[in-house]
Amino acid sequence: MRCLRMLVRILVLLYLAGAPALAQTLCQPNASNGYRVRISIKTALGNQAYEWNENEMFLFRATMAFAMRRYYKTETYNVDNIIVCNQTRRVSFWFVVISPENPTMLIPKADVEKAVSMSRHRINNAFLLTDRTLEFLGIYPTLAEPVNPDTPPWLIVFGVVIGAVFAGIIALLVSSLLQKRRKEKGMMEDGQDEEDRQMKGVENGINLDGIYNRGFTDDDRFTKL
Amino acid sequence: IIRLSSLPNPGLDDRIPSHQELERMEKEEAGDRPKWDNKTQYMLTCVGFCVGLGNVWRFPYLCQSHGGGAFMIPFLILLVLEGIPLLHLEFAIGQRLRSGSVGVWTAINPYLTGVGIASLLVSFLVGMYYNTIIAWVMWYFFNSFQNPLPWSQCPVNANLTDLVSECARSSPVDYFWYRDTLNTSTSIGDSGGLQWWMVLCLLCAWLLLYVCCLRGIETTGKAVYVTSTLPYVVLTIFLIRGLTLKGSLDGIKFLFTPDLNELMNPSTWLDAGAQVFYSFSLAFGGLISFSSYNSVHNNCEQDAVIISIINGFTSVYAATVIYSIIGFRATERFDDCLEGNILALLNAFSLAEGNITEGNYAESLQNLNGTFPETIQSLDLKTCDLQTFLSQGVEGTGLAFIVFTEAITKMPVSPLWSILFFIMLFCLGLSTMFGSIEGTVVPLQDLNIFPKRWPKEAITGIVCLVSFIIALIFAQSSGNYWLALFDSFAGSIPLLVIAFCEMIAVVYIYGIDRFNKDIEFMIGHKPNLFWQVTWRFVSPLIVLVIFVFYFVTKVSSNVTYIAWNPSSEDFPTLEVLEYPAWIYVIIFILAGVPSLVVPGTAMFKLIRRCCSQFHLNSVNPVNLRMENNSISGHLNLPN
C-alpha cells in the first residue's frame, strides 16, 4: 500500500514537472495549430513606446485567454492555457492554446482564428496598437463596413449651388425685362414730347429748336447686299 | 530693311470709323455699345482670360521637363518677342475698329471675314471642352465636403473581404478619377452611355457660366472681381502651407535647377513658343472684343505689357506652388517606400525595431546582402529614389486630379485644402470661359445669324444650350478620350493659322503705316522700333515656325491616345491605343474646318462677286459701280 502511494506521488510529481516541458514541446515555430504574432510598438507609438517585457507578455496571454473565454462562452480558460515560445527581439513569438480539460490537446487553428477575429478590437486596444502593428500572421483583419449615407454628400452641395444659380438667372432675366420695359416706356414718352415740340416748331413756320430731324438718316449710304 | 508696302485695299476708309468720328463718339458716348465700368474690370477680365488652367498644369510640367530654371530663358525671350507684340496688336486693332473679331476683319477687308469665322469656331469648340474640365473640377469640389475624402481610401468589395481589385492594383486617387468620376471605358469607340452624375455637373457648369455671361460684360465685369483675384489668394495660401511641409523645398529646387544643355534642344524652344502662344489666349477673338469696349484713348500698349508681365509672373508663381506640393508628395512616397523596405528587412531577420533607420539603411542593407544574399533576393525590395518620384512629372488633368489630390490627402485637414484647390481651378477656368463665350457670341451677332432684335441674353442662352448638348459627348464613359482629342486638335493648329493671318492682315493688308498712325492717335506716340520689327517679321516668323513644326509632327506621327484598361497587361500604366479610322474625320472637322474657313470664305465671296458682277454686267453696266461699293462692306457705325 505504501509503495503504491509513493508510486502515485512520484508519478504526480513527474507529471507536474513534465507538464511544462510537455507543454513547451507543444509550442514550436511552424506548429500546425500555432500562430505567429508580430508586434511593432515603436512604429505605432513613436516616442511613447513602452518596452516589451515579461509583464507585457503576461498581459498578452491574459488577453488571449479572455478572447478564448469570450468565443467559447465559458470561464474555464486561464493564463496557463496560452503557451508562448520563440520570442525574438523583433518582437515576434509563436503561441498555441491548449485545452483547459486536456493539457495535451491543442485548440485547432480555425477556432483560435475565430476567437481572435471576434475580439481583435479589444486585443488591439489592450496594447494601444492597431491591426497593422499587432499582427497575427495568417489572420486577416476584417475590413470595416463602408458607411453609406442616405444622400451622397456631393448631391447636397450640388443642390445648393444649382439652387443659387437658378435664383441668379431668374433674378437677372427679370431685371433685364423690367429694365427694357422701363426704357420702352421712357422712349415712348420722349417720342411724345418730341412730336409735340416738332409740331410747335412747324406751327411757327420755322424749326426753332434745331432738333436733328430723324427723317433723314445716313443709313442709305451703305446698302446691304 | 525692305520696305514692304501694304497690299491694295480699296474702300478701307468707307468701312472703318475715321479718327474724327472716333473722337465724336468718344465725346458724345453715342451708340449702345457696352462699356467697361472702370479700367480695373477690363484688366481683371483680360488677366482672367489669359491666366487659366494652363498656367497651373502645363507650364510647371514644361519647366521641369525642359531643364528647370533654364526653361525660363526661352520662355521669357519668346514672351517678349511673340507674346507681347501679338497681345498689343489684338488690343490695338480692337480698340481702333471697335468691333468683335468678325467685325474687325471684315472691316479691314471683306475677304478676311473667314479669319473672324475661324475664331468663332475655335472659341466655340474650345469652350465646349474647357467647360467640361470645369464640370470635373466642380464634381471634385462637391465631393470635398466630407471627411475622409472619398479618394483617400479604396472602397471595400461586395462581400467585405478585400479592397476592390481595380483600386488595390492602382491607387485610391486613380480609382476615384477613372472609375468614380469618369467611369471610363477602355477605348474611344466604346461609348458606354451617359454618366448621370457627370451630366448634372456639366449642367451646373453651363448654367453657372450662363448666369455670369448673361448680359455680356455687365455681368462678367462684376464676376471677375472674384474669379480673377481668388486664384492668387489661394495660391499664396498653398505656398505658405506648402513651405511648411516636409520635402517642399526639394520640389522647388528640382523645378528650378537649371540644366543649360536643354537650351540646345530645339523642342525646348518650340514648347516654350507654343506655351507662350496658348497661354495668352490669342486668336480666340475674345481679347479683340474686350478691347473694343475701351475708350479710344486707352493706353493699349501699357495694358499689353502689364498683362504679359502678370501672365508670366503667374506661370512662375503657380509652378513654385505646385512643385512645393509635388516635392512634399514625392518625399512622402519616398519615405513610405523606404519604410516598407525597412519593415521587410526587420521582419525577415527578426531584428529589433529601430535597428535599421533611414540613416543607416544603405549600410545595413549592404551588410545583410553580404551575409544573406538569397534572403535579400527573395524579399524583392523596391528601389527608392527621390529624384524618380520628383520626376514623375505629370501635366494636365493627371496633375490636378491624381497627383495633387493625393498630396492633399496627406495634409492635415484635407477637406479644407481640397475645397480651396478646386475653387481656385474653378475660378481659373471660369474666367477663361468668359473670353471664350465673348469670342463666340459677339461674332454671331456681327454675322447677323440671329435676328437683330433678339436680346443678348437669348443669344448667350442658345450658345450655352447648344454647347451643353454637344458637350454631352464628354459625359459618356469615353468622354475623357474625346476631350483629349479636342484638346490636341481643336485648340492647336487652327489658332496658329488664325494668329498668322491676323498679323499679315494688320501689317500688310490694313497697312502698318496706317496702324502706326492709329496708335499714335489713340495713345499719343508712335510705336517704337521694337514693335515695328516684331510685328513685321519676328512674330509672324515665330508663329509660322511653330505651325510648321506642329503640322509636320502631327501628320507624320501615328496618332495615338492613352487609355485606362484594368485588364491590360501593364495595368496601372495607361495603355497606348491607336485611333480608329473614323476618328480622322473628326480630326479634320476639329482642325481642318476652322483653318480652311479662312481661305474658304474668301473664295466664296470672290465667287459670289464674280458671279453677280457677271450677271449685272450683262444686265446693266451702270450698276457695276454701286455693286462695287456695296460688296466692299456693310459695316455701319457705330456698331
Side-chain angles (χ1 to χ4, degrees):
Chain A
M1 207 53 179
R2 240 160 136 204
C3 286
L4 203 60
R5 239 182 276 162
M6 236 172 76
L7 200 60
V8 168
R9 240 181 257 153
I10 290 169
L11 278 173
V12 167
L13 274 168
L14 271 173
Y15 175 73
L16 283 173
L22 187 64
Q24 274 311 106
T25 52
L26 287 171
C27 173
Q28 282 170 23
N30 299 319
S32 53
N33 278 325
Y35 275 105
R36 185 163 178 211
V37 176
R38 194 189 287 145
I39 301 186
S40 318
I41 309 175
K42 286 215 184 77
T43 316
L45 301 171
N47 283 340
Q48 292 158 342
Y50 52 80
E51 205 193 302
W52 186 263
N53 52 27
E54 276 309 310
N55 296 335
E56 306 288 345
M57 185 55 89
F58 182 80
L59 178 60
F60 177 78
R61 292 165 71 200
T63 323
M64 283 311 301
F66 163 76
M68 299 306 297
R69 283 193 182 198
R70 222 168 148 233
Y71 177 62
Y72 281 119
K73 298 192 181 50
T74 162
E75 288 176 14
T76 51
Y77 280 87
N78 225 322
V79 181
D80 299 327
N81 299 122
I82 315 293
I83 305 174
V84 168
C85 57
N86 259 66
Q87 191 174 323
T88 66
R89 284 184 308 154
R90 169 62 184 77
V91 173
S92 71
F93 50 84
W94 284 85
F95 79 94
V96 293
V97 183
I98 52 178
S99 158
E101 290 93 35
N102 185 353
T104 50
M105 197 181 81
L106 293 177
I107 304 290
K109 210 165 171 165
D111 291 337
V112 176
E113 177 173 348
K114 289 199 193 104
V116 167
S117 300
M118 195 166 124
S119 308
R120 190 64 187 265
H121 188 61
R122 301 292 299 270
I123 303 173
N124 286 348
N125 275 350
F127 292 95
L128 308 173
L129 297 172
T130 65
D131 282 348
R132 223 173 44 92
T133 41
L134 172 56
E135 296 169 79
F136 286 84
L137 298 184
I139 303 181
Y140 296 109
T142 43
L143 301 162
E145 224 187 86
V147 178
N148 268 334
D150 293 328
T151 26
W154 76 267
L155 265 182
I156 301 174
V157 187
F158 168 77
V160 168
V161 171
I162 251 218
V165 167
F166 269 121
I169 292 181
I170 293 174
L172 282 173
L173 284 177
V174 164
S175 84
S176 274
L177 223 65
L178 288 177
Q179 240 181 34
K180 217 162 275 176
R181 244 181 241 153
R182 228 175 283 144
K183 226 188 341 176
E184 274 172 17
K185 241 172 68 174
M187 265 177 51
M188 264 176 31
E189 288 175 1
D190 278 345
Q192 284 283 33
D193 287 348
E194 271 193 8
E195 259 189 47
D196 291 340
R197 271 186 271 162
Q198 271 189 359
M199 294 290 287
K200 280 203 202 117
V202 167
E203 270 178 7
N204 290 343
I206 348 163
N207 207 347
L208 288 171
D209 304 333
I211 298 171
Y212 181 69
N213 197 326
R214 289 217 185 89
F216 304 100
T217 61
D218 279 338
D219 287 341
D220 292 340
R221 246 206 326 152
F222 304 104
T223 52
K224 291 200 175 99
L225 189 68
Chain B
I1 301 174
I2 305 168
R3 198 116 208 273
L4 273 158
S5 56
S6 53
L7 300 166
N9 196 355
L12 183 60
D13 288 308
D14 297 334
R15 298 194 291 266
I16 60 177
S18 70
H19 292 179
Q20 293 86 347
E21 277 154 356
L22 285 175
E23 285 282 18
R24 184 182 61 84
M25 272 157 52
E26 184 77 4
K27 288 201 189 76
E28 295 175 10
E29 296 195 8
D32 52 357
R33 190 163 184 76
K35 270 180 15 159
W36 296 108
D37 286 346
N38 52 50
K39 185 75 183 276
T40 318
Q41 269 187 13
Y42 166 62
M43 293 297 273
L44 283 178
T45 308
C46 288
V47 165
F49 188 25
C50 294
V51 171
L53 295 170
N55 295 69
V56 165
W57 71 32
R58 175 90 180 134
F59 178 79
Y61 168 75
L62 285 176
C63 213
Q64 170 261 313
S65 64
H66 283 298
F71 185 74
M72 298 292 173
I73 298 174
F75 181 72
L76 287 172
I77 291 178
L78 289 170
L79 188 104
V80 168
L81 291 179
E82 181 197 350
I84 304 187
L86 272 168
L87 200 62
H88 187 196
L89 189 116
E90 289 210 355
F91 281 163
I93 202 74
Q95 197 171 297
R96 167 69 180 89
L97 296 181
R98 318 204 66 69
S99 185
S101 61
V102 162
V104 158
W105 305 118
T106 311
I108 291 181
N109 194 309
Y111 292 119
L112 287 177
T113 312
V115 179
I117 298 179
S119 283
L120 159 69
L121 288 174
V122 170
S123 285
F124 179 67
L125 290 172
V126 170
M128 263 197 295
Y129 81 77
Y130 209 81
N131 215 25
T132 309
I133 301 179
I134 295 182
W136 290 341
V137 169
M138 294 191 87
W139 162 258
Y140 269 80
F141 173 73
F142 295 149
N143 273 291
S144 304
F145 285 88
Q146 44 188 300
N147 196 9
L149 293 169
W151 54 85
S152 60
Q153 58 212 26
C154 276
V156 183
N157 65 12
N159 37 12
L160 299 184
T161 51
D162 198 3
L163 305 171
V164 171
S165 129
E166 189 181 346
C167 185
R169 284 187 293 155
S170 52
S171 75
V173 276
D174 280 313
Y175 181 78
F176 187 76
W177 170 238
Y178 286 108
R179 191 55 51 210
D180 284 338
T181 307
L182 301 173
N183 196 13
T184 190
S185 62
T186 51
S187 72
I188 197 169
D190 178 13
S191 91
L194 291 175
Q195 313 303 312
W196 65 270
W197 59 92
M198 262 308 119
V199 175
L200 285 182
C201 289
L202 204 58
L203 181 73
C204 191
W206 280 105
L207 281 176
L208 230 155
L209 183 65
Y210 180 56
V211 84
C212 290
C213 290
L214 199 51
R215 284 200 236 158
I217 62 169
E218 254 187 74
T219 39
T220 61
K222 311 281 186 310
V224 290
Y225 282 117
V226 174
T227 61
S228 294
T229 51
L230 193 61
Y232 290 96
V233 174
V234 175
L235 277 175
T236 311
I237 295 176
F238 263 100
L239 184 68
I240 298 174
R241 168 77 271 208
L243 288 176
T244 58
L245 293 170
K246 179 185 177 205
S248 56
L249 289 173
D250 289 321
I252 298 179
K253 247 186 281 171
F254 180 73
L255 173 72
F256 288 123
T257 311
D259 176 11
L260 290 165
N261 290 325
E262 280 285 338
L263 292 182
M264 302 299 155
N265 186 359
S267 85
T268 305
W269 291 86
L270 282 159
D271 279 340
Q275 174 62 14
V276 167
F277 181 76
Y278 295 126
S279 165
F280 277 93
S281 304
L282 296 159
F284 279 89
L287 289 170
I288 299 181
S289 219
F290 287 144
S291 182
S292 69
Y293 305 130
N294 273 326
S295 83
V296 173
H297 293 297
N298 174 56
N299 192 343
C300 51
E301 183 185 27
Q302 198 184 56
D303 294 343
V305 174
I306 291 178
I307 290 180
S308 308
I309 293 177
I310 293 180
N311 198 4
F313 161 75
T314 309
S315 292
V316 176
Y317 191 49
T320 313
V321 174
I322 295 286
Y323 263 84
S324 77
I325 305 288
I326 287 189
F328 160 70
R329 170 187 174 266
T331 309
E332 284 277 311
R333 280 204 156 189
F334 174 71
D335 283 347
D336 282 343
C337 175
L338 209 56
E339 223 179 87
N341 282 356
I342 291 177
L343 197 66
L345 284 176
L346 288 178
N347 288 348
F349 295 102
S350 288
L351 304 166
E353 282 182 288
N355 242 356
I356 307 182
T357 60
E358 287 185 23
N360 60 12
Y361 172 74
E363 198 187 304
S364 316
L365 181 61
Q366 221 178 6
N367 284 343
L368 290 167
N369 208 3
T371 30
F372 303 104
E374 325 82 37
T375 337
I376 299 284
Q377 204 67 346
S378 68
L379 283 178
D380 201 17
L381 296 174
K382 296 192 270 241
T383 38
C384 302
D385 178 30
L386 186 60
Q387 294 300 310
T388 322
F389 286 123
L390 281 172
S391 51
Q392 276 171 353
V394 202
E395 56 162 334
T397 52
L399 175 67
F401 299 119
I402 298 181
V403 170
F404 216 81
T405 45
E406 187 186 330
I408 287 177
T409 57
K410 301 195 203 287
M411 296 189 211
V413 198
S414 324
L416 170 69
W417 303 113
S418 181
I419 292 171
L420 277 178
F421 178 64
F422 289 112
I423 281 189
M424 174 183 82
L425 289 188
F426 173 72
C427 286
L428 285 171
L430 192 69
S431 53
T432 307
M433 281 306 297
F434 293 157
S436 221
I437 289 287
E438 181 76 14
T440 312
V441 169
V442 171
L444 284 176
Q445 284 181 313
D446 285 344
L447 287 171
N448 293 323
I449 302 240
F450 299 107
K452 257 206 155 62
R453 56 184 185 79
W454 281 24
K456 189 162 192 146
E457 288 89 337
I459 302 181
T460 316
I462 292 178
V463 167
C464 287
L465 182 68
V466 172
S467 299
F468 167 68
I469 291 175
I470 303 181
L472 287 174
I473 307 176
F474 304 121
Q476 295 171 101
S477 278
S478 53
N480 190 25
Y481 308 133
W482 282 98
L483 198 132
L485 184 72
F486 269 64
D487 190 26
S488 308
F489 293 104
S492 57
I493 299 206
L495 288 172
L496 291 162
V497 170
I498 296 171
F500 185 73
C501 292
E502 282 186 4
M503 280 186 285
I504 301 297
V506 169
V507 171
Y508 298 109
I509 301 184
Y510 185 71
I512 188 73
D513 300 318
R514 184 188 281 267
F515 192 55
N516 285 336
K517 288 204 198 81
D518 285 336
I519 295 185
E520 191 178 9
F521 164 71
M522 290 196 292
I523 65 178
H525 60 266
K526 261 180 91 158
N528 59 30
L529 185 66
F530 166 75
W531 302 112
Q532 304 302 322
V533 172
T534 48
W535 281 334
R536 285 186 219 218
F537 310 113
V538 179
S539 303
L541 190 66
I542 295 177
V543 171
L544 188 66
V545 166
I546 298 176
F547 168 72
V548 167
F549 164 75
Y550 257 103
F551 193 73
V552 166
T553 324
K554 285 271 155 74
V555 164
S556 62
S557 67
N558 248 341
V559 196
T560 58
Y561 67 105
I562 42 177
W564 176 262
N565 188 356
S567 39
S568 82
E569 294 175 347
D570 293 319
F571 187 78
T573 316
L574 295 161
E575 201 184 6
V576 178
L577 295 174
E578 272 195 23
Y579 279 122
W582 51 270
I583 283 288
Y584 291 96
V585 177
I586 310 281
I587 292 180
F588 176 75
I589 295 177
L590 292 175
V593 167
S595 313
L596 291 175
V597 151
V598 177
T601 323
M603 296 255 280
F604 172 71
K605 288 212 164 171
L606 189 68
I607 292 174
R608 207 164 55 156
R609 179 185 177 176
C610 284
C611 276
S612 50
Q613 229 178 27
F614 176 74
H615 184 237
L616 284 165
N617 247 339
S618 54
V619 173
N620 191 350
V622 177
N623 284 338
L624 222 83
R625 209 168 49 92
M626 264 175 62
E627 277 297 322
N628 259 337
N629 273 337
S630 53
I631 292 172
S632 312
H634 57 82
L635 223 63
N636 251 332
L637 30 109
N639 188 7

